[in-house]
Amino acid sequence: MSKVIAKAAVSATEFSVPLGKLKPSEKNVRRVESEAGLDELAASLEHHGQIQNLTVRVVEKGFFEVVAGARRFAALKRLMKEGRSIKGVKVTKDFPVRVRHVDEDDNDTELSLAENMVRSNMHPADEIAAFKRLHEEENMAPEAIADRFGISHMTVRRRLKLANVSPRILAEFREDKVTLDQMQALALSDDHEAQENAWFEAEYEWARRADNLRQLLTDEKVRGSDRLVKFVGLDAYIAANGTYIRDLFSDEDSVFLTDRVLLHKLAMEKLEAAAAEIDRDGWKWVVPTLETGAQHTFKRIHAKRTEPGDEDAARMSSLAARYDEIEAEIEAVDTDGPEYAALSEEAAKIDAEMDEIQNRYVAFDPLEKSLAGIVLSVGYDGKIEAHEGRVTDEDWAELMRLQSAEPMDGASGTEAKEEAEQEGPAFSFAVIEDLTALRSVALSLAVAERPDVALCAIIHPLASTLFYQSYWGDSAVEISSRFDGPRQSHVDPNNQGAFAALSQLHDEWAEELPADKSALWDWLISQPQSLLMQLLAYVTSRSINAWQQRHERGAKRFHHVEQIATAVSLDMNQWWKPSEAFFNRVPKAIGIAAVQEVGGNEEVCKGMEKDTKADAVTTTLHSLRGTNWLPQPLRLRPVEPTEVDDEEPEQKGAGDIAAE
């Protein structure tokens, strides 16, 4: 542009300038986040053209400084750099840009500041309505709208989802009575009546929190993270004409399935098909079930570990020796070096091979197996879990009968053999009783001097009962556990951790013990005391009965239960958390009392009294979140020391007795 043209052009209020003749002004006030939104602005220019002029000032050599409109100028340069067009015209250095010239006495900084400060963003409700008109009246797909404004497809889909919220609620949104978070929660449902009920019928403001609204509108639906959804698969559910809603506003893109019956039907069909393909391999039955914790309603047998054969034993010894060498070598190398990585890899392979050899020598007893079965269920990860060794009550009684059966005509085989080996005339029963009485006392004195043997002797009867289904009386030490363990009438899926942990611990010990009960004593005698103490702790723990059943409210043992719990600093917060399953089982008053106990707002508690049970449960769980609240039966009670009656006569010492 010549100087004459430039001078003529600037005399007009508005005119066009080639893009190549424009440059940014150092007096533009926008500095921070100057790149923000350029993609969207460039896309808008590309599809809609230049809607607003740039404000410029003439500088030397025929160039113009952009005083206001720096982001539009930057977007134009980006289009030129990327070889893009504006409404079909390619953007080059000669592309005409509409500008407005400022007077000589105008302040550039003030103009730039004014343009950035006085403008106001559109209310989200207006933006939502505009997107809806483009989609419905102009028949523009969400993807096309997104591309024309340089925004993501998901952003447009979210705006269109909000546009489907009840008009009554949208009106409240325009008046800023509903927040964007609350709108997003209400948009979970496409049912305007359900949306309006959730919003307008809420008696208290806390009930309108986004999380409460989301919970209320999805209460009867199945979350996409549910174990059965993972098991069946969302695609399979949809293929079976299953309906669902998607939370477009969740970072995890959450899905809620609306047909619970169909989901259970598909899951059961898939689980039954898996059960049909299982090789029973000696098991009496295989039962598929969708119930959580169903395996715990059965009694149980355990696989036993036997000693490896000579060849495998030699291999295990060799592997163990090499593993010890690796441990010594690994301490001398750099943990970041290649030698450390190679040694670690070799150690991992040795571990795997040793496990593979040991697993070959773990098996169920064939007799026990013939009366037991497999419970097939779905785990929390959506994978099939096979719980082996489960026994019904009827089969358990038969198993006990077979294991304890003895010949009915006289002594057992072992006793008959012992009698045949006796030399000389038989002793009378009276003599035998007297002699064995003396031997029992002598044995007691001998064991009293051998704590190591006493430890094995006390473990033997407890372990026999716990791991070998033995009847009381199989051991010389008359200590037994007649407590079969607690059962739950209602399974709480969120609070099953302790049951699973105890079951796993039992399995670990069951594999350690010998397969044959007759070998138990020899095995115990050969073990180090540290392991015996651990085993004693476990078998003793399984005899503890802190289970209060309905017929024993005043049982005297509960004082001892509290003493033991105090001694081990029992913390039930590790094993129990407030859950929907729990509060659905108890009266609403318990939930209200819990909220009051953790310092809940009195108005909230009063509102809970009028709420439905479902709403009260939701409020309770929200109020207890992050607290250590426990129901009374789970709390550690203070143990009062046993008091001595002051009126009791003092106990006499040995000297006093002798004097009498």
Side-chain angles (χ1 to χ4, degrees), residues 324-337:
D324 291 341
E325 292 175 0
I326 291 175
E327 284 190 326
E329 293 174 19
I330 216 166
E331 292 180 358
V333 299
D334 184 4
T335 55
D336 295 326

Side-chain angles (χ1 to χ4, degrees), residues 9 21 42 59 166 169 190 278 281 288 356 524 548-549 599 625 649:
K21 294 294 184 179
V59 292
S166 159
I169 296 175
D190 292 326
I278 287 182
D281 189 29
E356 191 275 328
L524 290 171
Q548 180 178 325
Q549 300 182 66
R625 190 180 303 160

